[in-house]
Amino acid sequence: MNKDKPFAQQLKAKAVELGFAACGIAPADAAPRAGERLRAWLAEGMHGEMIWMEARAGERASPAGLWPEVRSVIALGMSYAPGVDPLALAGEGVRGRISVYAQGGDYHDIVKRALKALARWIVAEAGGDLKVFVDTAPVMEKPLAEAAGLGWQGKHSNLVSRDHGSWLFLGAIYTTLDLASDTPGRDRCGSCDACQRACPTDAFPAPYRLDARRCISYLTIEHKGPIPLELRDGIGNRIYGCDDCLAVCPWNKFAEAAAANRAFLPRAELTAPALGDLLALDDSAFREVFAGSPIKRIGRDRMVRNAAIAAGNSGDVALVDPLRALADDPSDVIREAAAWALARLFAPAAAGERSNT
Protein backbone atom coordinates (compact mmCIF):
# COMPACT_ATOMS: atom_id res chain seq x y z
CA MET A 1 0.00 0.00 0.00
CA ASN A 2 1.24 3.49 -0.81
CA LYS A 3 0.98 6.37 1.60
CA ASP A 4 -2.75 6.45 2.16
CA LYS A 5 -3.81 9.33 4.43
CA PRO A 6 -7.46 8.24 4.74
CA PHE A 7 -6.33 4.81 5.93
CA ALA A 8 -3.95 6.40 8.47
CA GLN A 9 -6.87 8.43 9.82
CA GLN A 10 -9.02 5.30 10.09
CA LEU A 11 -6.18 3.52 11.87
CA LYS A 12 -5.90 6.30 14.44
CA ALA A 13 -9.64 6.26 15.05
CA LYS A 14 -9.48 2.51 15.62
CA ALA A 15 -6.59 2.98 18.05
CA VAL A 16 -8.69 5.38 20.12
CA GLU A 17 -11.55 2.90 20.07
CA LEU A 18 -9.19 0.27 21.51
CA GLY A 19 -8.11 2.47 24.42
CA PHE A 20 -5.07 4.32 23.12
CA ALA A 21 -4.85 8.04 23.83
CA ALA A 22 -2.22 8.78 21.16
CA CYS A 23 -1.24 7.30 17.82
CA GLY A 24 1.28 8.43 15.22
CA ILE A 25 3.16 7.02 12.26
CA ALA A 26 6.80 7.32 11.25
CA PRO A 27 8.93 5.78 8.51
CA ALA A 28 11.16 3.01 9.81
CA ASP A 29 14.32 5.12 9.38
CA ALA A 30 12.92 8.20 11.11
CA ALA A 31 15.18 8.20 14.19
CA PRO A 32 18.67 7.73 12.72
CA ARG A 33 20.60 9.15 15.70
CA ALA A 34 18.90 6.95 18.29
CA GLY A 35 21.34 4.09 17.73
CA GLU A 36 24.35 6.40 18.03
CA ARG A 37 23.10 7.80 21.34
CA LEU A 38 22.35 4.29 22.61
CA ARG A 39 25.86 3.07 21.84
CA ALA A 40 27.42 6.09 23.60
CA TRP A 41 25.22 5.52 26.67
CA LEU A 42 26.14 1.85 26.82
CA ALA A 43 29.83 2.63 26.39
CA GLU A 44 29.67 4.78 29.53
CA GLY A 45 28.15 1.89 31.46
CA MET A 46 25.07 3.90 32.41
CA HIS A 47 22.80 0.90 31.84
CA GLY A 48 24.14 -0.80 34.97
CA GLU A 49 23.07 -4.44 35.22
CA MET A 50 20.65 -4.25 32.29
CA ILE A 51 22.87 -6.51 30.21
CA TRP A 52 20.12 -7.29 27.72
CA MET A 53 20.34 -3.73 26.41
CA GLU A 54 23.98 -4.26 25.52
CA ALA A 55 23.49 -7.79 24.20
CA ARG A 56 20.89 -6.74 21.63
CA ALA A 57 22.10 -3.19 20.95
CA GLY A 58 22.30 -3.81 17.20
CA GLU A 59 18.66 -4.84 17.02
CA ARG A 60 17.60 -2.01 19.32
CA ALA A 61 19.46 0.69 17.40
CA SER A 62 16.94 0.83 14.55
CA PRO A 63 13.71 -0.90 13.50
CA ALA A 64 15.46 -2.42 10.48
CA GLY A 65 18.11 -3.85 12.77
CA LEU A 66 15.42 -5.97 14.38
CA TRP A 67 13.31 -6.61 11.27
CA PRO A 68 14.77 -5.64 7.89
CA GLU A 69 11.39 -5.76 6.12
CA VAL A 70 9.80 -2.99 8.21
CA ARG A 71 8.67 0.10 6.28
CA SER A 72 6.58 2.02 8.82
CA VAL A 73 6.34 2.26 12.59
CA ILE A 74 3.00 2.91 14.29
CA ALA A 75 3.70 4.43 17.71
CA LEU A 76 0.96 4.26 20.31
CA GLY A 77 0.45 5.69 23.77
CA MET A 78 -2.01 4.62 26.45
CA SER A 79 -2.62 7.12 29.25
CA TYR A 80 -2.20 6.29 32.92
CA ALA A 81 -2.55 9.89 34.14
CA PRO A 82 -3.03 9.80 37.93
CA GLY A 83 -6.02 11.28 39.67
CA VAL A 84 -3.99 12.26 42.76
CA ASP A 85 -0.61 13.87 43.37
CA PRO A 86 2.08 11.19 42.86
CA LEU A 87 4.22 12.94 45.49
CA ALA A 88 1.53 12.94 48.18
CA LEU A 89 3.20 10.21 50.27
CA ALA A 90 6.59 11.92 50.38
CA GLY A 91 6.29 12.58 54.11
CA GLU A 92 4.60 9.32 55.11
CA GLY A 93 7.57 7.42 56.48
CA VAL A 94 5.76 4.21 57.44
CA ARG A 95 3.99 3.92 54.08
CA GLY A 96 5.71 2.75 50.94
CA ARG A 97 5.55 4.73 47.71
CA ILE A 98 4.83 2.74 44.56
CA SER A 99 5.22 4.39 41.17
CA VAL A 100 1.88 5.41 39.67
CA TYR A 101 2.31 3.12 36.66
CA ALA A 102 2.47 0.02 38.86
CA GLN A 103 -0.53 0.66 41.11
CA GLY A 104 -3.05 -0.85 38.67
CA GLY A 105 -3.09 -3.66 36.13
CA ASP A 106 0.07 -4.86 34.40
CA TYR A 107 0.62 -2.57 31.41
CA HIS A 108 2.48 -5.29 29.52
CA ASP A 109 -0.69 -7.37 29.29
CA ILE A 110 -3.14 -4.50 28.77
CA VAL A 111 -1.18 -2.63 26.10
CA LYS A 112 -0.19 -5.80 24.24
CA ARG A 113 -3.82 -6.97 24.14
CA ALA A 114 -4.85 -3.69 22.52
CA LEU A 115 -1.88 -3.76 20.14
CA LYS A 116 -2.82 -7.24 18.95
CA ALA A 117 -6.42 -6.16 18.40
CA LEU A 118 -5.24 -3.19 16.34
CA ALA A 119 -2.84 -5.43 14.42
CA ARG A 120 -5.66 -7.81 13.48
CA TRP A 121 -7.70 -4.85 12.23
CA ILE A 122 -4.78 -3.55 10.13
CA VAL A 123 -4.23 -6.92 8.46
CA ALA A 124 -7.94 -7.30 7.74
CA GLU A 125 -8.19 -3.81 6.26
CA ALA A 126 -4.87 -3.40 4.45
CA GLY A 127 -2.87 -6.63 4.61
CA GLY A 128 0.89 -6.59 5.03
CA ASP A 129 3.05 -8.23 7.66
CA LEU A 130 3.57 -6.75 11.10
CA LYS A 131 4.99 -7.23 14.58
CA VAL A 132 3.79 -5.75 17.89
CA PHE A 133 6.00 -4.64 20.77
CA VAL A 134 5.55 -3.35 24.29
CA ASP A 135 8.64 -2.87 26.44
CA THR A 136 9.98 -6.44 26.38
CA ALA A 137 11.64 -6.39 22.92
CA PRO A 138 14.72 -4.45 21.70
CA VAL A 139 12.69 -1.46 20.50
CA MET A 140 13.45 2.20 21.23
CA GLU A 141 9.88 3.27 21.85
CA LYS A 142 10.64 6.81 22.97
CA PRO A 143 12.67 8.05 19.97
CA LEU A 144 10.18 6.36 17.66
CA ALA A 145 7.23 7.94 19.46
CA GLU A 146 8.91 11.33 19.06
CA ALA A 147 9.48 10.66 15.36
CA ALA A 148 5.80 9.75 15.01
CA GLY A 149 4.64 13.00 16.62
CA LEU A 150 3.41 11.71 19.98
CA GLY A 151 5.64 14.16 21.84
CA TRP A 152 9.32 14.62 22.56
CA GLN A 153 11.94 13.11 24.81
CA GLY A 154 12.23 15.51 27.70
CA LYS A 155 15.25 16.34 29.82
CA HIS A 156 14.32 13.39 32.07
CA SER A 157 14.71 11.19 28.94
CA ASN A 158 11.06 10.09 29.01
CA LEU A 159 8.44 11.04 26.47
CA VAL A 160 6.49 14.25 27.13
CA SER A 161 3.16 14.87 25.41
CA ARG A 162 1.45 18.25 25.06
CA ASP A 163 -1.85 16.53 25.81
CA HIS A 164 -0.91 13.75 28.24
CA GLY A 165 2.17 15.04 30.01
CA SER A 166 4.58 12.34 31.12
CA TRP A 167 1.91 9.68 31.66
CA LEU A 168 1.91 7.46 28.57
CA PHE A 169 2.65 3.76 28.26
CA LEU A 170 4.23 3.26 24.85
CA GLY A 171 3.82 0.46 22.36
CA ALA A 172 4.80 0.02 18.72
CA ILE A 173 3.68 -1.85 15.64
CA TYR A 174 6.22 -2.49 12.90
CA THR A 175 4.64 -3.06 9.51
CA THR A 176 5.67 -3.71 5.91
CA LEU A 177 3.00 -1.23 4.81
CA ASP A 178 4.22 2.15 3.56
CA LEU A 179 1.95 4.44 5.58
CA ALA A 180 1.55 8.22 5.56
CA SER A 181 3.77 9.59 8.31
CA ASP A 182 3.15 12.33 10.87
CA THR A 183 5.20 15.42 11.70
CA PRO A 184 7.83 14.57 14.36
CA GLY A 185 7.46 16.00 17.84
CA ARG A 186 9.32 19.19 18.72
CA ASP A 187 11.25 19.67 21.96
CA ARG A 188 9.31 22.09 24.17
CA CYS A 189 11.30 21.80 27.41
CA GLY A 190 12.87 25.21 26.89
CA SER A 191 14.87 26.43 29.89
CA CYS A 192 12.88 24.35 32.39
CA ASP A 193 15.00 22.04 34.55
CA ALA A 194 12.39 20.99 37.11
CA CYS A 195 12.91 17.28 36.46
CA GLN A 196 16.69 17.61 36.87
CA ARG A 197 16.35 19.39 40.20
CA ALA A 198 13.71 16.96 41.50
CA CYS A 199 15.85 13.81 41.31
CA PRO A 200 16.69 12.68 44.88
CA THR A 201 19.79 10.75 43.82
CA ASP A 202 21.24 13.07 41.13
CA ALA A 203 20.71 10.53 38.35
CA PHE A 204 20.97 13.14 35.57
CA PRO A 205 24.60 13.99 34.76
CA ALA A 206 23.24 16.39 32.12
CA PRO A 207 19.87 17.26 30.56
CA TYR A 208 18.52 14.42 28.39
CA ARG A 209 20.99 11.95 29.93
CA LEU A 210 20.11 9.43 32.63
CA ASP A 211 22.61 7.41 34.65
CA ALA A 212 20.45 4.39 35.45
CA ARG A 213 22.88 3.31 38.15
CA ARG A 214 21.71 6.23 40.29
CA CYS A 215 18.04 6.12 39.30
CA ILE A 216 15.62 4.97 42.01
CA SER A 217 13.47 3.16 39.46
CA TYR A 218 16.51 1.14 38.37
CA LEU A 219 17.72 0.54 41.93
CA THR A 220 14.37 -0.69 43.25
CA ILE A 221 13.33 -2.72 40.19
CA GLU A 222 16.28 -3.83 38.04
CA HIS A 223 19.15 -3.94 40.54
CA LYS A 224 19.37 -7.29 42.31
CA GLY A 225 22.11 -6.78 44.87
CA PRO A 226 22.55 -4.45 47.84
CA ILE A 227 21.63 -0.86 47.06
CA PRO A 228 24.71 1.41 47.30
CA LEU A 229 24.93 2.98 50.75
CA GLU A 230 25.37 6.52 49.44
CA LEU A 231 22.04 6.34 47.58
CA ARG A 232 19.86 4.91 50.35
CA ASP A 233 18.95 8.24 51.98
CA GLY A 234 17.63 9.52 48.64
CA ILE A 235 15.35 6.52 48.22
CA GLY A 236 13.24 7.66 51.17
CA ASN A 237 10.07 5.57 51.29
CA ARG A 238 10.06 4.59 47.61
CA ILE A 239 9.71 0.82 47.36
CA TYR A 240 9.02 0.38 43.65
CA GLY A 241 10.02 2.96 41.10
CA CYS A 242 10.00 6.74 41.40
CA ASP A 243 7.75 9.42 39.88
CA ASP A 244 9.55 12.55 41.00
CA CYS A 245 11.07 13.67 37.68
CA LEU A 246 7.83 12.90 35.86
CA ALA A 247 5.50 14.42 38.45
CA VAL A 248 7.13 17.87 38.46
CA CYS A 249 6.92 18.34 34.68
CA PRO A 250 4.83 21.47 33.95
CA TRP A 251 3.26 19.79 30.90
CA ASN A 252 1.34 17.49 33.23
CA LYS A 253 -1.15 20.30 33.82
CA PHE A 254 -2.72 19.33 30.50
CA ALA A 255 -2.98 15.63 31.40
CA GLU A 256 -6.47 14.59 32.45
CA ALA A 257 -7.04 11.58 34.69
CA ALA A 258 -10.27 10.98 32.77
CA ALA A 259 -8.15 10.06 29.73
CA ALA A 260 -6.45 7.22 31.60
CA ASN A 261 -7.35 3.66 30.69
CA ARG A 262 -9.51 2.31 33.51
CA ALA A 263 -7.39 -0.83 33.67
CA PHE A 264 -4.69 1.31 35.28
CA LEU A 265 -6.85 2.66 38.10
CA PRO A 266 -4.95 2.11 41.36
CA ARG A 267 -5.69 -0.89 43.54
CA ALA A 268 -6.37 0.19 47.13
CA GLU A 269 -3.73 -2.12 48.59
CA LEU A 270 -1.03 -0.64 46.33
CA THR A 271 -1.63 3.07 46.89
CA ALA A 272 -0.02 3.34 50.34
CA PRO A 273 1.10 -0.07 51.65
CA ALA A 274 2.34 -0.27 55.25
CA LEU A 275 6.06 -1.03 55.45
CA GLY A 276 5.48 -3.40 58.37
CA ASP A 277 3.19 -5.52 56.20
CA LEU A 278 5.69 -5.62 53.36
CA LEU A 279 8.55 -6.65 55.66
CA ALA A 280 6.49 -9.66 56.75
CA LEU A 281 5.87 -10.99 53.24
CA ASP A 282 6.95 -14.51 52.41
CA ASP A 283 7.09 -15.69 48.81
CA SER A 284 3.53 -17.01 48.75
CA ALA A 285 2.07 -13.82 50.26
CA PHE A 286 4.10 -11.69 47.85
CA ARG A 287 2.67 -13.52 44.84
CA GLU A 288 -0.85 -13.16 46.22
CA VAL A 289 -0.60 -9.44 46.97
CA PHE A 290 1.00 -8.51 43.65
CA ALA A 291 -0.84 -10.88 41.33
CA GLY A 292 -1.77 -9.08 38.10
CA SER A 293 0.68 -6.25 38.84
CA PRO A 294 3.97 -5.46 37.08
CA ILE A 295 5.53 -5.53 40.55
CA LYS A 296 5.36 -9.32 40.62
CA ARG A 297 8.34 -9.57 38.28
CA ILE A 298 10.87 -8.29 40.85
CA GLY A 299 10.08 -11.12 43.26
CA ARG A 300 9.72 -11.14 47.02
CA ASP A 301 13.39 -10.61 47.90
CA ARG A 302 13.79 -7.30 46.09
CA MET A 303 10.49 -5.99 47.46
CA VAL A 304 11.41 -6.83 51.06
CA ARG A 305 14.90 -5.36 50.51
CA ASN A 306 13.29 -2.14 49.29
CA ALA A 307 10.88 -2.08 52.23
CA ALA A 308 13.79 -2.54 54.65
CA ILE A 309 15.63 0.44 53.14
CA ALA A 310 12.46 2.52 53.43
CA ALA A 311 12.02 1.35 57.05
CA GLY A 312 15.55 2.50 57.85
CA ASN A 313 14.72 5.91 56.42
CA SER A 314 11.41 6.14 58.29
CA GLY A 315 12.74 6.96 61.76
CA ASP A 316 9.91 4.82 63.21
CA VAL A 317 11.05 2.38 65.90
CA ALA A 318 7.76 0.51 65.56
CA LEU A 319 9.43 -1.18 62.58
CA VAL A 320 12.27 -2.60 64.68
CA ASP A 321 10.53 -5.92 65.41
CA PRO A 322 9.59 -6.65 61.76
CA LEU A 323 13.18 -5.85 60.80
CA ARG A 324 14.62 -8.08 63.52
CA ALA A 325 12.47 -10.92 62.21
CA LEU A 326 14.52 -10.77 58.99
CA ALA A 327 17.82 -11.50 60.75
CA ASP A 328 17.70 -15.15 59.64
CA ASP A 329 16.15 -14.59 56.23
CA PRO A 330 17.53 -16.90 53.52
CA SER A 331 18.39 -13.87 51.36
CA ASP A 332 21.72 -12.26 52.23
CA VAL A 333 20.55 -9.06 50.49
CA ILE A 334 17.54 -8.85 52.80
CA ARG A 335 19.61 -9.60 55.90
CA GLU A 336 22.05 -6.83 55.01
CA ALA A 337 19.28 -4.30 54.31
CA ALA A 338 17.49 -5.16 57.57
CA ALA A 339 20.72 -4.83 59.59
CA TRP A 340 21.40 -1.44 57.97
CA ALA A 341 17.86 -0.30 58.72
CA LEU A 342 18.12 -1.35 62.38
CA ALA A 343 21.39 0.53 62.74
CA ARG A 344 19.74 3.60 61.25
CA LEU A 345 16.75 3.41 63.58
CA PHE A 346 18.93 2.99 66.68
CA ALA A 347 21.48 5.63 65.65
CA PRO A 348 19.49 8.66 66.93
CA ALA A 349 19.02 7.01 70.35
CA ALA A 350 22.69 6.13 70.55
CA ALA A 351 23.64 9.69 69.60
CA GLY A 352 21.35 11.00 72.35
CA GLU A 353 22.94 8.74 74.94
CA ARG A 354 26.40 9.93 73.96
CA SER A 355 25.35 13.57 74.24
CA ASN A 356 24.11 12.98 77.81
CA THR A 357 27.35 11.46 79.05
Side-chain angles (χ1 to χ4, degrees):
M1 171 181 287
N2 284 324
K3 300 180 178 180
D4 187 338
K5 289 186 178 180
F7 176 74
Q9 293 168 352
Q10 294 168 24
L11 188 157
K12 292 173 185 178
K14 186 65 178 180
V16 171
E17 180 184 320
L18 291 170
F20 291 103
C23 176
I25 301 168
D29 60 355
R33 294 191 59 203
E36 175 187 333
R37 292 194 295 265
L38 171 65
R39 286 186 286 270
W41 186 72
L42 291 171
E44 294 182 73
M46 291 191 182
H47 59 303
E49 295 176 0
M50 295 184 288
I51 304 302
W52 65 89
M53 299 192 76
E54 185 175 354
R56 302 186 70 181
E59 294 175 317
R60 191 180 298 273
S62 71
L66 178 61
W67 189 33
E69 290 78 16
V70 61
R71 300 289 299 280
S72 301
V73 174
I74 304 165
L76 297 122
M78 193 173 281
S79 173
Y80 66 101
V84 298
D85 180 6
L87 306 181
L89 292 178
E92 299 289 335
V94 297
R95 297 282 175 179
R97 292 168 63 184
I98 292 175
S99 185
V100 169
Y101 86 85
Q103 293 180 21
D106 191 335
Y107 71 95
H108 297 92
D109 300 331
I110 295 159
V111 175
K112 178 161 278 191
R113 192 179 306 123
L115 285 173
K116 287 182 175 179
L118 183 59
R120 288 193 295 270
W121 180 87
I122 292 170
V123 171
E125 295 291 324
D129 294 326
L130 49 76
K131 297 180 184 293
V132 303
F133 305 103
V134 53
D135 198 29
T136 54
V139 172
M140 298 186 72
E141 291 96 341
K142 290 179 283 188
L144 292 172
E146 178 177 297
L150 268 61
W152 67 96
Q153 276 192 268
K155 292 179 181 178
H156 51 27
S157 80
N158 290 287
L159 192 79
V160 183
S161 162
R162 294 182 67 182
D163 300 316
H164 307 287
S166 295
W167 312 114
L168 285 177
F169 289 124
L170 300 177
I173 298 177
Y174 288 6
T175 176
T176 56
L177 298 174
D178 189 13
L179 301 176
S181 58
D182 290 289
T183 302
R186 180 168 65 87
D187 190 332
R188 298 176 183 272
C189 287
S191 61
C192 178
D193 65 349
C195 60
Q196 313 288 285
R197 291 183 285 106
C199 181
T201 51
D202 296 323
F204 298 106
Y208 307 102
R209 296 180 67 226
L210 171 71
D211 187 344
R213 298 166 297 184
R214 300 186 64 87
C215 174
I216 294 175
S217 287
Y218 167 81
L219 292 169
T220 56
I221 298 172
E222 305 293 348
H223 183 65
K224 297 178 181 179
I227 291 174
L229 293 174
E230 68 273 17
L231 300 178
R232 295 186 184 187
D233 280 354
I235 287 175
N237 62 338
R238 300 168 187 84
I239 58 169
Y240 187 92
C242 178
D243 290 319
D244 290 35
C245 66
L246 303 180
V248 299
C249 179
W251 286 96
N252 289 334
K253 65 186 177 183
F254 299 108
E256 296 183 5
N261 190 304
R262 293 188 61 81
F264 304 128
L265 290 177
R267 289 161 45 179
E269 68 272 23
L270 301 184
T271 55
L275 293 179
D277 293 340
L278 295 172
L279 292 169
L281 290 174
D282 60 17
D283 192 60
S284 175
F286 171 83
R287 291 197 304 269
E288 181 178 351
V289 171
F290 297 107
S293 162
I295 298 172
K296 66 182 182 296
R297 78 181 184 91
I298 70 169
R300 175 258 179 187
D301 290 358
R302 265 180 271 181
M303 174 53 71
V304 177
R305 174 204 64 183
N306 297 343
I309 299 298
N313 289 329
S314 72
D316 194 328
V317 294
L319 295 172
V320 165
D321 286 344
L323 287 165
R324 281 177 170 160
L326 297 171
D328 297 321
D329 194 90
S331 167
D332 56 352
V333 173
I334 289 177
R335 294 195 305 273
E336 186 278 332
W340 175 87
L342 286 168
R344 288 269 294 190
L345 292 177
F346 283 121
E353 290 173 5
R354 287 193 297 271
S355 67
N356 291 328
T357 58

